[in-house]
Amino acid sequence: AAKAAGKNRFLRFHPDMMTALVQRTEMEAGLQLAVTRGEISVAFQPIVSPRIGQTVQFEALARWDHNGERIPPSVFIPMAERSGLISEIGNEVMGLSLVQLAPWLREDPSRSLAVNVSGVQLQEPAFADGVLRLAAACGVGAYQLVLEVTESVFFDPGCGLIRQLSSLREAGVRVALDDFGTGYSSLGRLQDLPVDIVKIDRTFVSMVRTGQERLPILSSMINMAHSLGLTVTAEGVETAVQADYLTALDCDSLQGYLFSLPESGHRLERAGRQAEDALAALAARRPRTG
Ligand code: C2E
Ligand code: MG
Ligand code: MG
Ligand code: MG
């Protein structure tokens, strides 16, 4: 009987599957209208530099509020990529981010904004021009902008994508390799990629538990990136032990719940200061060397 039931699971169209399908279709239809309905917003998460002791960057993270529910980007970004909506949503995120962060960025030219972009956006012939024009219109320098991409965009990059990235980088925009270490490429491939910053995925950061264990992967990633002249950010820093360990490995900047959650635009300054306070508390606790 158990065997028959097991088989049936694959033969019958279960009501739950119907519900899931209806929900999915409803959600995809909703995503079509998300931008015009003003349902897309941006949350900003501070990124701190232990060396400088300040919040030096914010990462912009897309948010979608739909029917009173917040749909996570892990759900709606892949959906937008499949349905061709990612460019419209990506443009909205870029616009909202630049406008909301412009006052903070204009106060200090060494501050920067990181925005996630999908490979689809980078294929578009007008992408680079649009981004550069938008930044200029907001009084933000191109060098203050970081585009975060995942390794997958370099799998089979068309010449269009390479051209877009080149013109952006020539203008001063930096490119960050997001979720580094989770993809297929080896450490050795780093030197072939047109990137300026490496963001170590939080799965590696979460391996740091006691601060005493040896984690050759983590130190190799940081050393290799540095020897190639790249800047290193660690994501998903949740504990003081992790922050101390990464700081000792000379990681350039840190991001994670230990410093601040992603916050909406009107709480940006507060989030940035809170992250700096957390950083100062770490430095105060740390035994002095030398
Ligand atoms: P990501 O770019 O790697 O962003 C970091 C994710 O980790 C964010 O999740 C952030 O909220 C979360 N995070 C930050 N600190 C911590 C921490 O200490 N612990 C843990 N467990 N998580 C932390 P979020 O906002 O849900 O975004 C998920 C992913 O969705 C992003 O990963 C990015 O790949 C994608 N995404 C978000 N916004 C956009 C966008 O505007 N465009 C594109 N193409 N992708 C986006
Ligand atoms: Mg990112
Ligand atoms: Mg990331
Ligand atoms: Mg990630």
Side-chain angles (χ1 to χ4, degrees):
K3 201 173 177 186
K7 257 187 187 167
N8 272 343
R9 262 179 47 215
F10 299 99
L11 292 175
R12 278 217 198 110
F13 197 72
H14 196 273
D16 285 354
M17 289 167 67
M18 191 62 197
T19 312
L21 188 71
V22 169
Q23 278 174 350
R24 178 159 208 90
T25 311
E26 195 280 330
M27 207 186 274
E28 283 183 2
L31 195 56
Q32 301 256 355
L33 297 167
V35 169
T36 42
R37 284 184 175 161
E39 294 176 352
I40 300 291
S41 63
V42 181
F44 298 94
Q45 188 176 34
I47 298 176
V48 296
S49 158
R51 207 169 304 127
I52 298 170
Q54 284 176 359
T55 295
V56 291
Q57 188 177 94
F58 280 91
E59 178 175 2
L61 295 156
R63 296 293 178 254
W64 181 28
D65 292 299
H66 182 54
N67 296 339
E69 218 190 319
R70 179 155 274 194
I71 319 288
S74 57
V75 172
F76 75 82
I77 294 289
M79 197 178 265
E81 282 173 339
R82 277 194 308 271
S83 59
L85 292 166
I86 191 65
S87 293
E88 188 193 4
I89 292 173
N91 287 340
E92 178 76 356
V93 170
M94 185 70 71
L96 291 173
S97 306
L98 270 164
V99 166
Q100 290 181 71
L101 215 59
W104 185 81
L105 292 169
R106 285 196 298 256
E107 273 175 36
D108 182 344
S110 71
R111 291 173 170 178
S112 53
L113 160 68
V115 182
N116 296 283
V117 297
S118 132
V120 181
Q121 292 173 270
L122 290 170
Q123 314 280 355
E124 290 184 351
F127 180 74
D129 271 355
V131 167
L132 294 173
R133 239 180 304 120
L134 192 58
C138 294
V140 170
Y143 55 88
Q144 293 182 282
L145 199 57
V146 174
L147 302 182
E148 297 196 2
V149 300
T150 53
E151 285 168 76
S152 62
V153 309
F154 299 116
F155 270 169
D156 185 21
C159 53
L161 184 141
I162 297 298
R163 206 177 303 125
Q164 293 302 309
L165 275 187
S166 306
S167 44
L168 286 161
R169 291 180 81 219
E170 270 163 36
V173 173
R174 283 167 293 165
V175 176
L177 190 58
D178 209 346
D179 303 334
F180 181 64
T182 59
Y184 292 87
S185 55
S186 60
L187 273 183
R189 218 196 143 203
L190 250 192
Q191 68 179 325
D192 302 324
L193 301 180
V195 301
D196 309 277
I197 298 165
V198 164
K199 294 195 76 173
I200 296 179
D201 191 71
R202 71 162 179 269
T203 52
F204 297 96
V205 174
S206 67
M207 289 174 188
V208 183
R209 296 184 189 285
T210 65
Q212 299 302 315
E213 61 268 79
R214 286 189 66 247
L215 293 168
I217 304 181
L218 209 46
S219 48
S220 302
M221 283 171 136
I222 295 173
N223 292 338
M224 170 74 83
H226 280 165
S227 68
L228 294 170
L230 307 175
T231 302
V232 183
T233 300
E235 61 178 31
V237 179
E238 294 180 351
T239 68
V241 164
Q242 290 167 350
D244 285 343
Y245 192 83
L246 289 158
T247 302
L249 290 179
D250 203 26
C251 188
D252 302 278
S253 36
L254 310 174
Q255 174 181 12
Y257 297 162
L258 176 66
F259 301 101
S260 171
L261 296 171
E263 295 281 2
S264 62
H266 68 278
R267 295 213 202 101
L268 195 139
E269 302 266 354
R270 202 196 310 169
R273 276 195 304 271
Q274 185 200 312
E276 289 176 353
D277 291 346
L279 190 63
L282 286 174
R285 268 193 328 98
R286 207 173 288 140
R288 263 164 224 257
T289 51

PDB file of all heavy atoms in Angstrom, residues 286-290:
ATOM      1  N   ARG A 286      39.499  44.344  21.547  1.00  0.00           N
ATOM      2  CA  ARG A 286      40.611  43.572  21.003  1.00  0.00           C
ATOM      3  C   ARG A 286      41.910  43.919  21.727  1.00  0.00           C
ATOM      4  O   ARG A 286      42.201  45.096  21.935  1.00  0.00           O
ATOM      5  CB  ARG A 286      40.750  43.915  19.519  1.00  0.00           C
ATOM      6  CG  ARG A 286      41.358  42.832  18.683  1.00  0.00           C
ATOM      7  CD  ARG A 286      41.279  43.210  17.217  1.00  0.00           C
ATOM      8  NE  ARG A 286      39.935  43.143  16.663  1.00  0.00           N
ATOM      9  CZ  ARG A 286      39.424  44.027  15.808  1.00  0.00           C
ATOM     10  NH1 ARG A 286      40.114  45.089  15.441  1.00  0.00           N
ATOM     11  NH2 ARG A 286      38.206  43.876  15.350  1.00  0.00           N
ATOM     12  N   PRO A 287      42.700  42.912  22.143  1.00  0.00           N
ATOM     13  CA  PRO A 287      43.973  43.227  22.786  1.00  0.00           C
ATOM     14  C   PRO A 287      44.906  43.931  21.800  1.00  0.00           C
ATOM     15  O   PRO A 287      44.970  43.541  20.634  1.00  0.00           O
ATOM     16  CB  PRO A 287      44.520  41.846  23.190  1.00  0.00           C
ATOM     17  CG  PRO A 287      43.775  40.857  22.385  1.00  0.00           C
ATOM     18  CD  PRO A 287      42.481  41.464  22.015  1.00  0.00           C
ATOM     19  N   ARG A 288      45.571  44.960  22.276  1.00  0.00           N
ATOM     20  CA  ARG A 288      46.466  45.704  21.397  1.00  0.00           C
ATOM     21  C   ARG A 288      47.733  44.932  21.109  1.00  0.00           C
ATOM     22  O   ARG A 288      48.252  44.251  21.992  1.00  0.00           O
ATOM     23  CB  ARG A 288      46.849  47.028  22.056  1.00  0.00           C
ATOM     24  CG  ARG A 288      46.004  48.166  21.590  1.00  0.00           C
ATOM     25  CD  ARG A 288      46.157  49.328  22.535  1.00  0.00           C
ATOM     26  NE  ARG A 288      44.845  49.911  22.818  1.00  0.00           N
ATOM     27  CZ  ARG A 288      44.443  51.022  22.253  1.00  0.00           C
ATOM     28  NH1 ARG A 288      45.232  51.656  21.420  1.00  0.00           N
ATOM     29  NH2 ARG A 288      43.266  51.507  22.537  1.00  0.00           N
ATOM     30  N   THR A 289      48.180  45.030  19.887  1.00  0.00           N
ATOM     31  CA  THR A 289      49.456  44.378  19.527  1.00  0.00           C
ATOM     32  C   THR A 289      50.467  45.455  19.186  1.00  0.00           C
ATOM     33  O   THR A 289      50.095  46.526  18.722  1.00  0.00           O
ATOM     34  CB  THR A 289      49.281  43.419  18.344  1.00  0.00           C
ATOM     35  OG1 THR A 289      48.619  44.121  17.298  1.00  0.00           O
ATOM     36  CG2 THR A 289      48.461  42.198  18.716  1.00  0.00           C
ATOM     37  N   GLY A 290      51.756  45.153  19.396  1.00  0.00           N
ATOM     38  CA  GLY A 290      52.866  46.052  19.010  1.00  0.00           C
ATOM     39  C   GLY A 290      53.051  47.236  19.906  1.00  0.00           C
ATOM     40  O   GLY A 290      52.230  47.710  20.632  1.00  0.00           O
TER      41      GLY A 290
END
